[in-house]
Amino acid sequence: MKLGLDPAVVRKARDLAARAAEPVIEMARTHTTVSVERAVLRLAGVTGADADGIPWVNRIVDAVRDQVGLEHGVALPFFAAGNWRSLKFGLPTGAERDRALARAREAVGAGIARIDRNRADRDRLLARHGDPEKPWIYLIVATGDIHEDIPQAQAAAREGADVIAVIRSTGQSLLDYVPEGATRQGYAGTYATQENFRLMRAALDEVSGELGRYVRLTNYASGLCMPEIAALAGLERLDMMLNDCMYGIIFRDINPRRTFVDQRFSRQIHARAGIVINTGEDNYLTTADAIDAAHTVVASQLLNERFGHEAGLADRQLGLGHAFEINPQIPDSFRLELAHAQLVRELFPAAPLKYMPPTKHMTGNIFAGYLLDAFFNLAGVMTGQSIILVGMMTEGIHTPWLSDRDLALENVRYVRRAAGDLSEDFTPGPFIRERAARVLSETVDLLHRVADDGLLDAIADGVFGVTKRPADRGRGLDGVVEKADGYVNPATEILEAAP
C-alpha cells in the first residue's frame, strides 16, 4: 500500500456501507419481480415466443400474476399446469403442490447444472489457451448486426483485445422482455439475446484457439430484464456482465426498488456462473464533476462491494468501475487522476477493477484526444488497473471507424509494453497521498449521511450522478411484488444453499 491510508478510516467506510446497504438487501430478500420470475422459467428451459413474438416467459408470468398473483412465485402454478400453453393457472395445494415443487426443482436444477458445466468449461479453456496478462484490453464491438459483429470481434481479438463487449441496442434496457433469436437490426448496439450470446461465444472460442489466449465476452445485465439476461449469460458462458442497478436508476429512470430486487438475484446467478461483474460508477462523472464527485464514486463502489458479497460474489468477480474524467485544462489534472485511481486500487486490492477512458472532455480534436487516451492508458498501468476500456480519439463524436479502433489498440499496446511493471516503481508523493486521503474522508462523511437517511432517499436526493430518482417513481415499479409466506423459488433455494 503506497498511499498510507488509515486502516481505521477504511474499516469505518466499509462498516457504514454495510449499514447503508442492509435495509435495501432486506427489501430485495423479501420481494420478487416479474423479471426474477421470468428468469426462473428461463433456467427451467422455457424458450421461444408466441405468434406475436411475445416471449413465452412473459406470457406465462403475466397470466400467473393476473390469475393467481406472483407473491408465491411462478414455479408452483407453472409446474402444476397440465398444459401451460393454455395459459390457465392455479395455486396447487397438498400432494399436487408437492409434485409441482419436485418438477420445478428438477427443471431449474438442470439449468443451474448447465451453468456449472459452463464454468468448468471456462476453467478448462483458460488452462488450455492461457489467460492474458493484466491489464486486460476491453474493446466494444456492436454494429447492430450480430453477423457483422462476429468478424469485427475476431479481428479486434487478433489486434490485441482481451475482452469483447457487445453493447446493447439503444433502449433495450427499457424493454420488459428479451427478444428471441439472432438479430440484425440494432441502433448503436446489438440486442442482447440468448442466440446472439451463443453465436458470439462460439466465435470467440474459435479465435481463442487460434491466438492461444482466452478471449472474454461481456454484455449488459442491467435494465428491466437484468435477472433474465444474467441467466442467459450463465447458460451461454459469458465471462463478464455490466451489472449495476444504479446505472439503470440514474440514467434510464428505472424504479429503484425494482432494480435493487432484480440486481440481487442477477448477482446470485453471476456468482454461481463465475462471471465478473462490471459496475457503472464511471457514468456518474459524465453528469457530475470528476473532482467534486470523486467521493461519490468510492462510496458507490463500497456499496456495490457489500451488495456483491451478500449475493455471493467473490472479490475476484467485483469489476468495480471508475473513470479518467477530470478536465485536462485543470492544473495537476494527471496527478489528481493518479490519486483517484490509486485510491480505488488500494481500497479493493483483489478486485478486477474496470478503468474507463476519457469521454466528457473529448472535443473532436483527434490529436489532443489521442494524447489524452495515452495519458489514461499510462495512469492505468501506473496504478495497476485490471481492465482498461480502449479509448477512441473520436469518442463521443460518432461510432468509431475501424481505423480509429486500430489506432486505439496500438496506443494501449504501446503504453502497456513500454511502461511494463511501472506500478512497482510508482511512489506517490504528498500531493497524491493528501488528495486520496481527502477523497476517502469525504466518502466516510457521505456514507454517514446515506446510512442515517437511507440509500433510497440518497438516490432520490441526487447524491449519485446528480439526477434525482425517487423510490416511488420510475419504470417497472408495477412489476415488484412482496413475497408471501410459502413463496417458492427453486433457483434461490439452490443458489443460497450452503456449499
Side-chain angles (χ1 to χ4, degrees):
M1 299 299 179
K2 303 176 179 182
L3 293 173
L5 301 175
D6 185 340
V9 177
V10 175
R11 284 195 299 273
K12 186 174 185 180
R14 281 198 161 86
D15 290 344
L16 287 167
R19 183 156 69 88
E22 189 54 39
V24 176
I25 292 171
E26 181 59 23
M27 178 194 69
R29 288 189 186 120
T30 57
H31 290 74
T32 186
T33 73
V34 290
S35 189
V36 168
E37 300 304 324
R38 295 195 301 254
V40 171
L41 295 177
R42 290 188 180 276
L43 290 170
V46 180
T47 61
D50 66 12
D52 296 322
I54 299 173
W56 280 115
V57 294
N58 285 69
R59 294 292 305 275
I60 294 163
V61 168
D62 289 348
V64 170
R65 179 170 60 173
D66 292 343
Q67 297 166 25
V68 180
L70 284 178
E71 60 270 20
H72 291 90
V74 74
L76 291 179
F78 176 77
F79 282 96
N83 176 17
W84 59 263
R85 288 179 184 265
S86 69
L87 297 178
K88 300 295 183 182
F89 300 102
L91 187 64
T93 59
E96 183 185 6
R97 181 186 187 278
D98 294 340
R99 288 191 293 271
L101 181 58
R103 288 194 290 268
R105 287 172 171 165
E106 180 181 8
V108 173
I112 293 177
R114 176 175 166 180
I115 290 174
D116 292 342
R117 290 193 298 273
N118 283 337
R119 182 170 186 166
D121 286 345
R122 181 190 300 112
D123 292 341
R124 176 177 53 80
L125 290 169
L126 282 166
R128 175 190 298 174
H129 299 314
D131 208 1
E133 293 182 8
K134 291 181 179 176
W136 294 333
I137 301 175
Y138 177 116
L139 187 73
I140 292 171
V141 176
T143 67
D145 181 344
I146 188 61
H147 296 292
E148 177 61 25
D149 290 344
I150 286 171
Q152 289 201 21
Q154 291 179 320
R158 294 185 185 106
E159 289 296 313
D162 302 310
V163 182
I164 299 297
V166 185
I167 62 172
R168 296 181 304 182
S169 179
T170 296
Q172 186 177 352
S173 61
L174 304 182
L175 299 181
D176 216 343
Y177 67 93
V178 179
E180 289 286 328
T183 64
R184 308 203 67 165
Q185 293 182 328
Y187 178 74
T190 302
Y191 285 100
T193 74
Q194 184 169 7
E195 180 62 7
N196 286 350
F197 289 176
R198 186 190 69 80
L199 290 168
M200 184 60 81
R201 178 68 272 165
L204 294 184
D205 283 349
E206 178 183 328
V207 81
S208 294
E210 172 191 326
L211 298 172
R213 60 181 170 84
Y214 185 74
V215 181
R216 286 172 167 81
L217 173 60
T218 186
N219 209 290
Y220 286 31
S222 58
L224 289 170
C225 293
M226 188 188 297
E228 292 174 83
I229 294 176
L232 297 177
L235 292 170
E236 299 300 337
R237 192 170 39 87
L238 272 70
D239 306 288
M240 293 184 186
M241 297 296 284
L242 187 133
N243 182 256
D244 183 1
C245 69
M246 295 278 275
Y247 173 82
I249 293 168
I250 295 168
F251 297 98
R252 294 294 181 266
D253 194 22
I254 298 174
N255 175 261
R257 298 182 189 278
R258 167 71 177 267
T259 44
F260 276 115
V261 178
D262 283 349
Q263 177 179 265
R264 182 173 186 265
F265 183 84
S266 64
R267 289 186 174 183
Q268 289 179 317
I269 295 289
H270 290 330
R272 184 72 174 228
I275 289 172
V276 173
I277 68 166
N278 296 154
T279 61
E281 283 84 5
D282 56 281
N283 290 282
Y284 303 165
L285 303 185
T286 63
T287 52
D289 181 80
I291 297 177
D292 294 342
H295 63 293
T296 69
V297 169
V298 178
S300 179
Q301 289 167 333
L302 289 163
L303 289 165
N304 255 319
E305 178 188 55
R306 173 61 190 137
F307 287 130
H309 284 167
E310 191 278 331
L313 290 166
D315 284 338
R316 64 181 179 276
Q317 295 176 277
L318 294 175
L320 303 171
H322 59 129
F324 187 101
E325 290 285 18
I326 294 174
N327 187 339
Q329 301 303 317
I330 292 175
D332 293 311
S333 63
F334 187 66
R335 298 169 81 193
L336 290 166
E337 294 284 13
L338 289 176
H340 296 176
Q342 186 66 28
L343 173 62
V344 175
R345 180 70 283 170
E346 293 192 18
L347 286 175
F348 309 99
L353 302 175
K354 180 186 174 189
Y355 199 29
M356 298 290 286
T359 58
K360 187 174 180 179
H361 299 288
M362 287 293 197
T363 63
N365 179 334
I366 60 173
F367 303 105
Y370 198 69
L371 179 61
L372 196 56
D373 282 333
F375 270 66
F376 159 73
N377 294 331
L378 181 59
V381 173
M382 288 179 67
T383 60
Q385 303 301 309
S386 306
I387 306 164
I388 294 181
L389 194 146
V390 175
M392 304 289 175
M393 59 189 180
T394 46
E395 188 79 51
I397 305 302
H398 59 74
T399 301
W401 303 109
L402 294 181
S403 57
D404 293 348
R405 182 186 298 159
D406 288 342
L407 287 169
L409 285 167
E410 180 182 338
N411 187 320
V412 70
R413 284 200 310 269
Y414 165 72
V415 172
R416 189 169 67 168
R417 181 176 61 251
D421 293 326
L422 184 58
S423 61
E424 295 180 3
D425 303 319
F426 169 49
T427 302
F431 180 94
I432 290 175
R433 292 163 66 96
E434 290 170 10
R435 173 59 186 169
R438 178 179 175 183
V439 173
L440 180 58
S441 176
E442 292 173 348
T443 299
V444 169
D445 291 342
L446 175 58
L447 287 172
H448 259 302
R449 172 186 164 189
V450 175
D452 290 342
D453 297 344
L455 178 55
L456 294 180
D457 286 340
I459 294 170
D461 289 342
V463 166
F464 302 100
V466 179
T467 307
K468 298 180 179 181
R469 299 299 190 194
D472 59 351
R473 296 175 60 185
R475 299 175 173 89
L477 177 59
D478 60 345
V480 181
V481 178
E482 186 173 5
K483 296 176 182 177
D485 291 339
Y487 170 82
V488 170
N489 184 329
T492 55
E493 289 179 8
I494 297 170
L495 298 171
E496 294 178 1

